[in-house]
Amino acid sequence: MFFASLLAASIPFQAPAPSPDTLRAAAPLPAIEVIGRPDRLARIPGAGTVLDRRLLTESRVFTTAEALRKVTGVYVRDEEGFGLRPNIGIRGLSPTRSTTVMLLEDGIPFTIAPYGDNGAYYHPPIERFDRIEILKGSGQILFGPRTIGGVINYITPAVPERTSGEVALSGGSRGYLNTRARFGGTWAGAGMLVDLSRRQGGGARENIGSTLHDATLKTVLRLGSDQSVVFKANYYTERSQVTYSGLTEDEWASAPRSNPFRNDSLLLDRLAASATHRIALGTGTAVTSVAYGYRIRRDWWRQSSNSAERPNDASDPGCGGLADLSTTCGNQGRLREYGVAGLESRIRLDRTILGLAHQLDAGVRLHHESQDRLQVNGAFPAARTPGPPGDVNSGIVEDNLRRNTAYSAFVQERLLLGPWTVTPGLRLEHVRYQRVNRRPVPGHPDGVQGRSS
């Protein structure tokens, strides 16, 4: 994507340090980390990388893809030039929709349905994060389920001890404008951080553009010197004119930036909240518990979903080719609503037994998610409702509800033997999955085509 920066400004400010009476001895802030401090890399099973704030700032990364390409063994395929839906593959696995990678924010899953539909149709903007942890290897059993490729954990900034803030503005070609504001501080043992951003631009091709808004509120309450609670809420919205289809070789040769699918559009709204509690139980022992939940609405209207569906006589008699694309060709509305909620608690024990250092991580998770899936085929290029009854190429072609509940237990013991580390671990998952097809069938006992679980 060609991008020319026209304006880039950042204005930070910071108040004087609070008095010692204001900042009491505080417990470490609660967070579920995949790696933690960089000095722990030598002891983790497998391989890991930490991209810290300094690296991300000095590199001026524009998207998540630019940041992750700095990691050996990670391949990222961009989609629209904004990094809104990066396709991430690790160690040769398919990058499509990042389905083989577990994506976390502060240790909490954020993909649309981690167990039932792990496709990364939503990905938070890179500006929201302070650090990125990438883990490749057997240590990911602590963070399942979709960890065959690895785990990527994005860490949001800590609530600042001093009152401080920052305003940033950048702009460029093709209508690009990015604005961000951050403000926070700690007062009498309670802290708050507000992060707001807005990004818009025309993308790398014709008939492609996006506008997104992202707002995060993070608060911390210190309950003495041994425990604290962090509450976090986020609202994200995206409005994009973006297609699911690429170009043929001939189309690319004649017009590399063209996009004939001008009527495609994507609407995405996400509302999320979490509460994380951490308590220290003596030296070397801590329990971290988190409750999380989010809802996502994703409506994507598009005229094809793969190369075989591009306009041709065989797939749609009323759409003989690209010449009919903006006049008589129909479209597909992939309308989705997702709900995710979970509880997780984990304990870390650092102790010495018979003169040998041990580190034990163990925990349990209860996770539930639902998917309300509807596919509506419209009769015309810009349709946003079903076509007329009896039209074989339009109407409601999918209407089903999918639910699953997962129970997880995991344990990992780390035995430190001088320069060697032995790390056995075990993860158990019990998943109950149900699918109900709600398309009505006359005469069927419960009015639907079928159930499966």
Side-chain angles (χ1 to χ4, degrees), residues 243-245 261 264 302-307 309-311 332:
T243 184
Y244 214 88
S245 299
F261 299 91
D264 291 2
R302 56 201 193 223
Q303 289 192 281
S304 70
S305 295
N306 54 58
S307 58
E309 291 186 345
R310 289 172 63 90
Q332 306 172 9

Side-chain angles (χ1 to χ4, degrees), residues 6 69 73 84 148 217 287 355 413 437:
L6 299 180
R69 288 190 183 113
L84 303 179
I148 186 173
L217 172 65
V287 176
E413 169 76 3
N437 192 331

Side-chain angles (χ1 to χ4, degrees), residues 49-63:
T49 303
V50 177
L51 303 177
D52 59 22
R53 180 178 183 179
R54 179 178 178 181
L55 176 64
L56 296 176
T57 301
E58 293 180 350
S59 300
R60 303 289 183 181
V61 293
F62 180 65
T63 65

Side-chain angles (χ1 to χ4, degrees), residues 93-116:
L93 293 174
S94 171
T96 301
R97 292 283 169 249
S98 308
T99 54
T100 61
V101 182
M102 189 65 177
L103 299 177
L104 309 173
E105 179 178 329
D106 293 332
I108 300 172
F110 66 74
T111 53
I112 55 177
Y115 282 82

Side-chain angles (χ1 to χ4, degrees), residues 7 57 69 96 106 132 170 176 197 226 248 369:
L7 175 65
T57 301
R69 288 190 183 113
T96 301
D106 293 332
I132 305 176
S170 61
Y176 174 73
S197 66
D226 59 352
T248 65
E369 58 193 39

Side-chain angles (χ1 to χ4, degrees), residues 47 58 66 117 121 132 243 256 286 403 405 419:
E58 293 180 350
E66 288 188 12
D117 187 359
Y121 287 93
I132 305 176
T243 184
R403 297 191 184 99
T405 301

